[in-house]
Amino acid sequence: MNITVELRDGPLVGWSGPPEAHAGAVVRFEGIVRPQEDGRSISGLDYTAYEPMASRELKRLADSAMCDFDLQSITVLHSRGFVPVGRCSFILLIVAMHRRPALAAMDWFIDALKRDVPIWKHPVWVNTVKGL
Amino acid sequence: MNITVELRDGPLVGWSGPPEAHAGAVVRFEGIVRPQEDGRSISGLDYTAYEPMASRELKRLADSAMCDFDLQSITVLHSRGFVPVGRCSFILLIVAMHRRPALAAMDWFIDALKRDVPIWKHPVWVNTVKGL
Amino acid sequence: MILTVKLFGPAARIIGSPELHIPESGAALTCGTLRLAIARHYPQLAELIPSGRIAVNHSYASDEIVLTGGEEIALIHAVSGG
Amino acid sequence: MILTVKLFGPAARIIGSPELHIPESGAALTCGTLRLAIARHYPQLAELIPSGRIAVNHSYASDEIVLTGGEEIALIHAVSGG
């Protein structure tokens, strides 16, 4: 079982996956902070995690995905704290023998994360930062 | 329109995507040569492309995906010639505002590639290489 | 005795606090009756309760789970990570 | 006059050559009749023909397309890239 789950402070940078043995498909998803929320410009998102529950839930979901989709490895990194627009706040790397389970696992994991993992994002509005 | 399509000789290495402006989701797929074909050990796969049709078909599919899935960019790299086991022969990088169209486009593109793009792989058996 | 419930995200902003307090009624309290009690004592949160979940000691707990008082309790609602 | 058809992958291995040759019959040749002619002249390929496609000048061509003789023609079957 090759599972990595980690919450890190601030934007995620310069991270590359583990070496793959006998893999056929390596799929990597990066969530990037978008410049707007609800049509208003933001300078970034502030992430709050309820720990250790957030890490535990990520681990539980990763275990479940490993088993249900027959993965070779799954790596989940999520930011906490402030992440500016255009920077990465979430990385999911899935390694599997075949493409279809890898993509299906990715879709399932991100849905499950949004449903179960106690991490909240709060927009930091551009005007708020400037004190207006 | 930010579309890159390229066939390269041998394994794909050290390639990273374009900078993303206003992206929300960056999904990268890598196809790695598996150690077996039909249950027999191979030393690698030898890819033959019918050019320029292969590049044209890749470009046609990329254009179609850009439009149908509202992507921000799509990058497709495919090997030709020999790629050893464990090395990368195919990279698909999709950048979109949202996750769902990015993943749907990835699934669609790989199916379409296997259906339409005239690239053939031929297993190089381990014993063949040793002259047995 | 008073039960403390941790709040996050929208719920914490509505209440203006990272936790809320529910007086125990004496009757055995379950996660289900706690949800009802939160909605009664904090009507501002009533809308969030149907889709909110109670976590007990960092795991989601179903409505029939009985609370004995020493647990860490949280109201988890509308997570949005990823 | 002889029509040359490029072969790849399994089809080329079956024939042992990167192309095959079909004598033109005189009647107007279409991609559809070409497929039939390939199956007739090269029975080893007959199994591949129903799922194979004809490319004319590097684009897939449907069965009704008429061939005039100067085109680059290929039999595309069972691609497997990616």
Side-chain angles (χ1 to χ4, degrees), chain A residues 50 78 114-116 119-120, chain C residues 53 60 72 77 79-80 82:
Chain A
Y50 175 35
H78 201 300
K114 288 175 181 288
R115 183 189 64 222
D116 288 346
I119 298 177
W120 292 265
Chain C
R53 283 184 282 176
Y60 288 111
E72 178 168 321
H77 174 264
V79 300
S80 57

Side-chain angles (χ1 to χ4, degrees), chain A residues 47-48 50-53 56-57 60 78 89-90 113-122, chain C residues 6 8-10 13 53 55 57-60 72-82:
Chain A
Y47 289 93
T48 306
Y50 175 35
E51 280 284 64
M53 185 174 174
R56 277 192 205 168
E57 286 291 307
R60 180 179 66 80
H78 201 300
S89 62
F90 173 61
L113 180 150
K114 288 175 181 288
R115 183 189 64 222
D116 288 346
V117 181
I119 298 177
W120 292 265
K121 63 182 180 194
H122 189 56
Chain C
K6 289 181 180 287
F8 301 90
R13 280 191 296 280
R53 283 184 282 176
N57 293 335
H58 297 273
S59 291
Y60 288 111
E72 178 168 321
I73 299 169
L75 175 64
I76 309 287
H77 174 264
V79 300
S80 57

Side-chain angles (χ1 to χ4, degrees), chain B residues 24-47:
Chain B
V26 177
V27 193
R28 179 187 172 103
F29 177 91
E30 295 187 9
I32 311 292
V33 174
R34 287 185 285 260
Q36 297 203 321
E37 282 273 313
D38 302 326
R40 286 175 62 193
S41 293
I42 62 171
S43 63
L45 291 172
D46 196 37
Y47 290 92

Side-chain angles (χ1 to χ4, degrees), chain B residues 30-118:
Chain B
E30 295 187 9
I32 311 292
V33 174
R34 287 185 285 260
Q36 297 203 321
E37 282 273 313
D38 302 326
R40 286 175 62 193
S41 293
I42 62 171
S43 63
L45 291 172
D46 196 37
Y47 290 92
T48 307
Y50 176 34
E51 281 283 65
M53 185 175 176
S55 292
R56 278 192 205 168
E57 286 292 306
L58 286 173
K59 179 71 169 56
R60 180 179 68 79
L61 297 177
D63 286 344
S64 185
M66 276 293 281
C67 184
D68 293 352
F69 295 94
D70 196 21
L71 306 181
Q72 293 179 353
S73 79
I74 180 167
T75 305
V76 188
L77 305 183
H78 201 300
S79 292
R80 61 186 162 194
F82 183 70
V83 180
V85 164
R87 302 293 297 276
C88 179
S89 63
F90 173 61
I91 293 176
L92 174 59
L93 181 91
I94 288 178
V95 178
M97 189 62 103
H98 296 282
R99 163 184 58 116
R100 284 184 188 283
L103 288 178
M106 182 156 279
D107 209 35
W108 177 86
F109 190 93
I110 299 175
D111 280 342
L113 180 150
K114 287 176 180 289
R115 185 189 63 223
D116 287 345
V117 180

